[in-house]
Amino acid sequence: MKRSVSDVLCSKMASSFYGVLFAVSLCAPIYCVAPANAPSRYTQPSSTKSIPASQVYSLNTDFAFHLYHRLILETPSQNVFFSPMSVSTSLAMLSLGAHSVTKTQILQGLGFNLTHTPESAIHQGFQRLVHSLTVPSKNLTLKMGSALFVKKELQLQANFLHNVKRLYEAEVFSTDFSNPSIAQARINSHVEKKTQGKVVDIIQGLDLLTAMVLVNHIFFKAKWEKPFYPEYTRKSFPFLVGNQATVHVPMMHQKEQFAFGVDAELNCFVLQMDYRGDAVAFFVLPGKGKMRQLEQTLSARTLRKWSRSLQKRWIEVFIPKFSISASYSLEAILPKMGIQNAFDKNADFSGITKRDSLQVSKATHKAVLDVSEEGTEATAATATKFIVRSKDGPSYFTVSFNRTFLMMITNKAIDSIFFLGKVENPTKP
């Protein structure tokens, strides 16, 4: 029996302050030496303890949806795509050098209750997170890294330098900021290389007050466990943008067994598509006019409910082939999430350097996402072919992602969101 979706769901800073430019970049093409004796306040975590790590993963998911809600307010009716993991890791690393209210605001903004969770446990959790993303895999490429570009005259606190290297595996580069354009080119070249050419020109408009640039980058590419067969991609398929406008997009198509569910309470379809390896994509399609209702309920609890309740069944699925990107000025958004002092003259980053006053002048996040039929290479051969089921074969749902939908990329092993987005218009890069 064939059922359709409609069948089921009808500044200029004060001269006494130097700027810290905090930039996070990521790329997700889905064609689908620390001083030996430096002091440290954070002890090496025991391999048998996983509570700090699991708490970081869960709070990272709630932070993801909290930040998502801010982004959709700032950019209504636009595509949204970002890496909450990249942003939260950068903020946690920045907190290593923060003191007093500045530190408290950053960690509480990430969702931590400092009464119940010691700061050392937070950084141990992030340490495990960062380490888990550096384990090589033949099935997918997932690389996250951090880099500090530091004004060569700036003397960093040994404790801060040691901890960002040991806990966050960050690279540190002495940089001449007296020529902002050369410094900018060096940083952008580093990010472009780390993201295999996908994220370019993330840093713009450096000035002579810049003292440090913190960059976090994520590069992800993976192949679908059950790829789409390119010959069955429809070249022009209507996609509803907003309430009335229609654009035409290439629409991928296949019939297969996927984990799938109908959330009657939230009035949405949830489709899980696995990548080779531990990565998983969730596509969430709300009923018409129900996106805002769905967005208001997004939480770590909601995602856990979906993960546990989806069941494998035959699905005929239509998903757009698309490429989108997004850039955000987080210095305008994070203060609205309680992280205020870091961006004004009240900033206390004396844990980074005592000689100079620092504040974050700009926080930039840039994201790129490509979704296509097979995997990392669009022309790659695949052993899995599209098979047209006979009419007397198994019954199946038909799910067409032909209007605004959500997409999340998570990891089975660490249960945390790598990427989160909303596709409003797949024709807008």
Side-chain angles (χ1 to χ4, degrees):
M1 178 184 65
K2 179 176 178 179
R3 304 179 69 187
S4 68
V5 175
S6 58
D7 291 328
V8 182
L9 295 174
C10 295
S11 103
K12 288 294 180 183
M13 298 168 289
S15 59
S16 59
F17 281 86
Y18 285 102
V20 177
L21 197 157
F22 151 53
V24 277
S25 65
L26 66 103
C27 175
I30 310 153
Y31 317 80
C32 322
V33 184
N37 299 315
S40 173
R41 296 176 13 234
Y42 307 108
T43 57
Q44 190 71 19
S46 165
S47 60
T48 60
K49 286 188 177 181
S50 60
I51 292 177
S54 63
Q55 187 179 36
V56 166
Y57 304 157
S58 179
L59 289 175
N60 186 65
T61 300
D62 280 325
F63 173 77
F65 293 127
H66 191 189
L67 180 53
Y68 173 82
H69 289 140
R70 295 305 321 180
L71 294 178
I72 60 176
L73 288 175
E74 298 290 331
T75 56
S77 303
Q78 294 182 29
N79 294 328
V80 173
F81 185 64
F82 68 104
S83 171
M85 187 173 294
S86 180
V87 177
S88 63
T89 301
S90 296
L91 287 171
M93 189 169 84
L94 191 65
S95 77
L96 282 170
H99 285 161
S100 63
V101 177
T102 305
K103 178 191 290 286
T104 301
Q105 286 183 354
I106 293 173
L107 296 178
Q108 288 183 345
L110 289 173
F112 292 99
N113 183 326
L114 299 179
T115 303
H116 299 134
T117 308
E119 186 188 350
S120 59
I122 295 172
H123 292 295
Q124 288 169 14
F126 274 101
Q127 182 185 27
R128 288 192 182 89
L129 174 63
V130 170
H131 180 72
S132 70
L133 300 182
T134 60
V135 178
S137 169
K138 66 178 181 179
N139 291 311
L140 62 84
T141 300
L142 178 59
K143 297 177 181 178
M144 183 168 76
S146 297
L148 286 172
F149 295 84
V150 182
K151 184 178 180 179
K152 61 183 182 179
E153 296 87 1
L154 197 67
Q155 293 185 354
L156 298 184
Q157 299 273 39
N159 193 59
F160 173 76
L161 191 61
H162 173 63
N163 282 319
V164 296
K165 289 180 177 181
R166 184 178 65 84
L167 296 170
Y168 292 86
E169 302 181 17
E171 298 177 277
V172 180
F173 302 99
S174 177
T175 306
D176 182 4
F177 285 107
S178 64
N179 190 323
S181 60
I182 293 178
Q184 177 175 303
R186 181 186 182 189
I187 297 166
N188 286 337
S189 176
H190 173 85
V191 174
E192 186 173 347
K193 180 180 178 181
K194 292 291 185 178
T195 61
Q196 298 190 12
K198 288 290 183 176
V199 176
V200 298
D201 296 334
I202 187 172
I203 302 298
Q204 296 183 21
L206 287 186
D207 58 39
L208 290 173
L209 287 177
T210 301
M212 186 171 75
V213 174
L214 184 158
V215 174
N216 179 278
H217 48 81
I218 289 185
F219 182 76
F220 172 84
K221 48 180 189 178
K223 294 184 178 181
W224 298 117
E225 189 175 84
K226 298 176 179 178
F228 294 86
Y229 195 52
E231 289 184 15
Y232 287 88
T233 295
R234 302 189 180 184
K235 304 301 182 186
S236 182
F237 197 96
F239 186 98
L240 183 63
V241 177
N243 295 324
Q244 295 179 331
T246 298
V247 297
H248 285 80
V249 298
M251 186 69 78
M252 305 182 296
H253 174 218
Q254 70 168 303
K255 299 176 185 176
E256 251 304 346
Q257 280 189 306
F258 294 111
F260 177 79
V262 179
D263 189 327
E265 181 182 357
L266 300 183
N267 203 2
C268 65
F269 281 160
V270 183
L271 171 69
Q272 176 183 320
M273 291 186 62
D274 295 346
Y275 297 106
R276 298 178 191 177
D278 288 329
V280 171
F282 288 94
F283 293 89
V284 186
L285 183 71
K288 289 183 179 178
K290 300 296 182 180
M291 176 58 81
R292 182 171 296 182
Q293 175 189 327
L294 172 63
E295 289 174 331
Q296 291 172 347
T297 64
L298 293 174
S299 67
R301 183 178 178 183
T302 303
L303 187 55
R304 283 194 299 270
K305 178 183 76 171
W306 289 340
S307 299
R308 293 167 183 169
S309 63
L310 302 185
Q311 296 181 350
K312 285 220 169 176
R313 60 184 74 183
W314 287 105
I315 301 291
E316 180 178 25
V317 61
F318 294 84
I319 295 178
K321 176 180 178 179
F322 65 96
S323 177
I324 62 173
S325 63
S327 297
Y328 303 103
S329 297
L330 296 181
E331 74 275 9
I333 295 170
L334 292 175
K336 297 174 183 177
M337 298 172 64
I339 305 175
Q340 298 168 333
N341 282 25
F343 298 95
D344 62 30
K345 64 181 181 180
N346 296 313
D348 183 351
F349 288 109
S350 54
I352 298 177
T353 175
K354 283 189 175 178
R355 260 183 53 184
D356 301 282
S357 297
L358 298 175
Q359 72 183 59
V360 179
S361 58
K362 189 168 182 59
T364 301
H365 184 78
K366 188 170 185 177
V368 181
L369 172 67
D370 298 317
V371 176
S372 188
E373 292 95 346
E374 297 183 22
T376 305
E377 295 141 20
T379 58
T382 176
T384 305
K385 290 188 177 181
F386 177 93
I387 301 173
V388 180
R389 307 288 175 183
S390 61
K391 291 184 179 179
D392 58 354
S395 62
Y396 55 87
F397 281 86
T398 294
V399 185
S400 182
F401 289 82
N402 60 354
R403 61 177 184 272
T404 304
F405 62 90
L406 301 179
M407 181 180 179
M408 287 171 269
I409 300 174
T410 69
N411 184 284
K412 295 177 186 176
I414 63 174
D415 192 27
S416 194
I417 298 178
F418 292 153
F419 312 108
L420 173 59
K422 175 168 69 170
V423 181
E424 285 269 1
N425 184 347
T427 65
K428 285 199 170 181

